[in-house]
Amino acid sequence: MLLDISTDRGIYHKVNGRWRIIALTHFSHDNPAVNGLAILLGILVLFAAMELHTYRYYYHYYYYYNYYF
C-alpha cells in the first residue's frame, strides 16, 4: 500500500458511501508535510529491511543440508 499511495492512481477508500482516492502525488511538490512523511516512510522501510535481513537462517540451512557423515 505504501507503493500504491505514491503513484498517481493512489488507493481507494469509502467515505459516506463514495469512493475517495488517497495519493501523495496529488499534493504540491513543495508541501513540507508530505515531503516529511515520505522521508520518514523511507527511513522506516530502510531500518525494517536492515533489521529483517539476517544471515542466521541461511547458515542454519547451509550447515543442515551440507553435513557429511
Side-chain angles (χ1 to χ4, degrees):
M1 289 184 71
L2 291 176
L3 293 176
D4 286 338
I5 205 167
S6 64
T7 62
D8 192 38
R9 297 284 295 183
I11 58 174
Y12 292 90
H13 70 95
K14 201 171 210 179
V15 176
N16 296 329
R18 297 188 56 172
W19 290 98
R20 305 284 303 212
I21 298 175
I22 299 175
L24 295 179
T25 56
H26 294 169
F27 294 101
S28 65
H29 294 288
D30 59 351
N31 189 341
V34 175
N35 287 336
L37 178 66
I39 290 170
L40 289 176
L41 287 176
I43 291 171
L44 177 72
V45 169
L46 177 68
F47 283 127
M50 288 172 39
E51 185 65 29
L52 293 175
H53 184 73
T54 59
Y55 288 105
R56 65 176 178 235
Y57 300 114
Y58 171 75
Y59 287 126
H60 174 70
Y61 176 83
Y62 178 76
Y63 288 122
Y64 181 77
Y65 287 106
N66 288 325
Y67 182 77
Y68 298 108
F69 291 100

